[in-house]
Amino acid sequence: MNSSTEADHGAASSDDAAVAGAPEKASAAVPGPPAPAGRGVPKWRRTLRPYLLIVPALLLTGGILYPFGLGLYYTVFDFAASKPQPDFVGLENYRRIFTDSSFWDSAWVTVLYAVGAAAVETVLGVAVALLLHRSTLVGRVLEKVLILPLMIAPVIAAIIWKLMLQPSVGVVNYLLRPFGLGGVQWTDTPTGALLSSIAVDVWVYTPFVAILALAGLRSLPTSPFEAAAVDGAGWWFTFRKLTMPMLWPYVLVAVIFRFMDSLKVFDIIYALTEGGPGDSTVVLQIRAYLEAIRFQRYSFGLSYMIVLWAVVYLAAMVLVRYLGRIQNRAAEVPK
């Protein structure tokens, strides 16, 4: 009796041991996690890989900095077609620029053009965006048509408008003739030439501002406007207190792009007026072209370009800092 009990107990112990050992065998049979992909890669390749990834960025940076540095180097000489052996002149080219009255005239025309074009495009772009924000069939159709001016090269648009603004055969004067406004010399007077250039710029780039403003309008939260509607707030109050404060960061981005681009405008003005009549529409970019290409004073023209670069850089830095403050204010982030 005792022996059978002991035998049964021994068999049970052996079964328990077999059961206890089963997970170990099972776990030993299950394969472990796969080895990392980089384990088979040589160490020198893993070390070199991050540097290879930044090669395109370095090449792009070098492609930008090399011609800039070369142009900056040429400005301290007096390279010109009439002087094959240039001399080192230091900052003499910059001194000549800032003491030349034509530079200040061109700078004034550049500022007038940039401020006028950016201001008109901003106002019209926001107005168009507000109209297109209404979900109507006409708005959806106009939204598709809006990008057509952006698909035309600015120089081509300027040539088209130059033909349309012709005093005798232009379509603009033909349409205005019934109102007693035919025969206007649009580009033959200093004021008319500048305003016509700004008008062409507005026609080409207002859709750009409108598209950015429309994207901003569609990204605004709806709860503040619903609460204002429940409280009985009018359209002007809602626009002034809710829409514009929240939309202003998007609008300012468009202003920065357009103001920077207008400061270095060349194609529209040169194709429309070639800087005339006289020097009334000669902006800094055209002045640099005339000095370097037409008059073949290469170092002097490059000095104009360096000055223009400095102006654009400083203006961009100020506007970007202001944009950061506006974004913080719109997001209610403390300074």
Side-chain angles (χ1 to χ4, degrees), residues 114 255-256 259-260 263 308-322:
V255 171
I256 292 175
F259 186 71
M260 297 300 100
L263 281 176
L308 178 60
W309 169 83
V311 171
V312 174
Y313 177 79
L314 292 176
M317 185 174 60
V318 172
L319 289 175
V320 168
R321 287 185 178 180
Y322 181 65

Side-chain angles (χ1 to χ4, degrees), residues 32 42 118 130 290 330:
L130 290 173
L290 294 176

Side-chain angles (χ1 to χ4, degrees), residues 5-263:
T5 303
E6 291 176 359
D8 294 340
H9 181 69
S13 300
S14 61
D15 293 341
D16 293 340
V19 172
E24 297 179 0
K25 295 179 180 179
S27 62
V30 175
R39 181 171 295 179
V41 179
K43 183 178 179 180
W44 67 270
R45 289 180 60 182
R46 295 200 305 269
T47 304
L48 190 62
R49 185 180 298 169
Y51 299 98
L52 293 176
L53 293 175
I54 65 173
V55 167
L58 293 177
L59 292 176
L60 181 61
T61 304
I64 295 174
L65 292 181
Y66 174 74
F68 177 79
L70 188 63
L72 193 63
Y73 169 76
Y74 285 157
T75 60
V76 298
F77 291 88
D78 56 352
F79 282 96
S82 60
K83 194 168 187 180
Q85 298 296 328
D87 298 324
F88 178 80
V89 295
L91 301 178
E92 177 64 21
N93 289 320
Y94 297 100
R95 188 197 66 80
R96 287 176 55 196
I97 287 176
F98 290 111
T99 56
D100 189 1
S101 61
S102 61
F103 165 77
W104 297 106
D105 294 338
S106 299
W108 177 243
V109 174
T110 303
V111 172
L112 286 179
Y113 183 93
V115 172
V120 177
E121 289 164 10
T122 302
V123 174
L124 290 181
V126 172
V128 171
L130 290 173
L131 292 176
L132 296 180
H133 187 52
R134 300 177 180 273
S135 183
T136 61
L137 178 60
V138 177
R140 288 193 294 270
V141 173
L142 291 178
E143 184 179 347
K144 305 302 184 295
V145 179
L146 188 66
I147 64 174
L148 289 180
L150 293 175
M151 300 172 64
I152 302 175
V155 64
I156 301 300
I159 293 174
I160 293 173
W161 277 95
K162 185 176 183 178
L163 297 175
M164 294 171 59
L165 295 175
Q166 286 292 326
S168 57
V169 298
V171 66
V172 174
N173 280 343
Y174 176 78
L175 295 176
L176 294 177
R177 191 169 296 132
F179 303 97
L181 299 176
V184 177
Q185 305 290 328
W186 294 101
T187 59
D188 292 343
T189 62
T191 303
L194 182 60
L195 293 179
S196 299
S197 302
I198 293 175
V200 175
D201 195 294
V202 169
W203 183 83
V204 173
Y205 291 109
T206 294
F208 172 77
V209 181
I211 290 172
L212 286 184
L214 184 61
L217 284 172
R218 290 177 175 173
S219 66
L220 297 181
T222 58
S223 54
F225 299 96
E226 294 173 354
V230 171
D231 293 338
W235 178 86
W236 175 247
F237 180 86
T238 303
F239 175 77
R240 186 166 52 92
K241 295 296 185 179
L242 291 179
T243 305
M244 278 311 298
M246 290 189 291
L247 186 64
W248 184 237
Y250 300 92
V251 176
L252 190 57
V253 170
V255 171
I256 292 175
F257 276 104
R258 289 306 313 133
F259 186 71
M260 297 300 100
D261 199 35
S262 299
L263 281 176

